[in-house]
Amino acid sequence: MKLAVLGSGSRGNAVALRTQGHTLLVDAGFGPRALERRAEEAGVPLAPLAGIVLTHEHGDHARGAAALAARHDCPVFASAGTLHALAGGGPRSILLPPYGGALTIGPFTVSAARTAHDAREPVAVAITSLAGHKIGVAYDLGRPTAAVRHLLRDCSVLLLEANHDEVLLRTGPYPASVRQRIGGSTGHLSNRAAAALAAELCGPRLEAVVLLHLSEQCNTAVLARRAVVAALRERQFRGRVLVASQTTPLAALSLRGPSQLTLALPAAGPTPPAR
Ligand SMILES: [Zn+2]
Ligand SMILES: [Zn+2]
């Protein structure tokens, strides 16, 4: 299995997973051509596209879904609330299973759990490959619900929101109402909350944590990574902590065996060297 974050932040999010010659996209928050270009840059071709799984309807996650699905003639998978908010989600939309269930999409198995974010019926997702690698994708979390925490146990790679530094959010440029929305229990996860969640979810199979959806105003890659690395160090975590960027795809993590992970990082990536 290969996975690449094609971009992440308030201006667009997409994660591409590829195994057995098929690609699955989690979110499509860029236009279809931008998604194809970013996937190519990341070294994970989109075609053939088995489907697009949407976490929720906000434009930074769903903007390109309908057009890309039409271009690749593939289904869009989402919760009932998300599909409703997207006016049905297109002719080939399919409901994600309720929490506790699983859906097979080609060589991928997808499970979902409701998040507390301020959208119609937002979810975090976990995708398992035939080889048993489990990838968790959880952003726009608000606060981590019990269902989300259960869904994300035993992941090989955890892609987790680290939206803001709490001090930078308090002292940053946003008006009080926006600060309250971002930092509230239906908004976004702070670095501190992401660090606590990553530490809680750190199990023997966890090989890499990728931090997503960093605020460009109220966070930096260094602050986010420092918080999460410190928390994971206490759990004796020996894997990698990477930070996804809004502008540049983070290419491409390859998981080859049950516990072997080979990382190929982009030359100009925003991730500081490992300590
Ligand atoms: Zn978002
Ligand atoms: Zn959102």
Side-chain angles (χ1 to χ4, degrees), residues 32-255:
R33 282 201 195 85
L35 286 164
E36 285 167 358
R37 178 178 49 76
R38 284 170 178 261
E40 199 172 306
E41 274 178 46
V44 179
L46 282 189
L49 192 56
I52 303 167
V53 176
L54 295 180
T55 60
H56 62 299
E57 72 273 17
H58 288 164
D60 58 318
H61 299 262
R63 173 177 298 127
L68 191 76
R71 232 165 128 95
H72 288 260
D73 190 25
C74 74
V76 171
F77 301 86
S79 68
T82 298
L83 290 177
H84 190 263
L86 293 170
R92 294 189 60 194
S93 60
I94 296 174
L95 280 180
L96 284 171
Y99 174 60
L103 177 73
T104 301
I105 306 173
F108 306 94
T109 302
V110 180
S111 305
R114 182 76 192 263
T115 70
H117 188 53
D118 51 6
R120 282 296 284 272
E121 192 183 350
V123 294
V125 295
I127 295 115
T128 308
S129 71
L130 293 174
H133 295 120
K134 181 177 172 183
I135 314 296
V137 183
Y139 40 27
D140 296 45
L141 279 187
R143 62 184 158 72
T145 61
V148 166
R149 284 153 49 198
H150 189 262
L151 176 81
L152 299 176
R153 289 183 319 174
D154 297 326
C155 279
S156 315
V157 181
L158 191 57
L159 297 105
L160 182 63
E161 170 172 54
N163 178 257
H164 56 274
D165 173 83
E166 288 172 10
V167 174
L168 289 184
L169 179 64
R170 250 193 331 266
T171 57
Y174 292 124
S177 59
V178 176
R179 283 204 304 270
Q180 269 162 18
R181 188 242 154 196
I182 293 172
S185 63
T186 61
H188 291 274
L189 219 58
S190 70
N191 294 343
R192 189 164 63 95
L197 183 57
E200 177 188 330
L201 296 171
C202 179
R205 296 181 63 196
L206 186 65
E207 300 188 61
V209 176
V210 184
L211 303 178
L212 303 180
H213 218 300
L214 270 69
S215 164
E216 292 174 295
Q217 307 285 341
C218 302
N219 209 356
T220 68
V222 170
L223 286 173
R225 190 172 181 282
R226 185 183 296 155
V228 173
V229 165
L232 286 172
R233 192 177 289 142
E234 292 185 13
R235 301 294 314 273
Q236 279 76 51
F237 175 69
R238 303 211 183 282
R240 298 290 303 271
V241 179
L242 309 171
V243 182
S245 139
Q246 179 72 89
T247 52
T248 316
L250 183 67
L253 294 82
S254 296
L255 295 98

Side-chain angles (χ1 to χ4, degrees), residues 14-38:
V15 177
L17 307 172
R18 188 169 178 90
T19 188
Q20 309 276 321
H22 292 270
T23 297
L24 184 73
L25 208 58
V26 178
D27 285 340
F30 302 94
R33 282 201 195 85
L35 286 164
E36 285 167 358
R37 178 178 49 76
R38 284 170 178 261

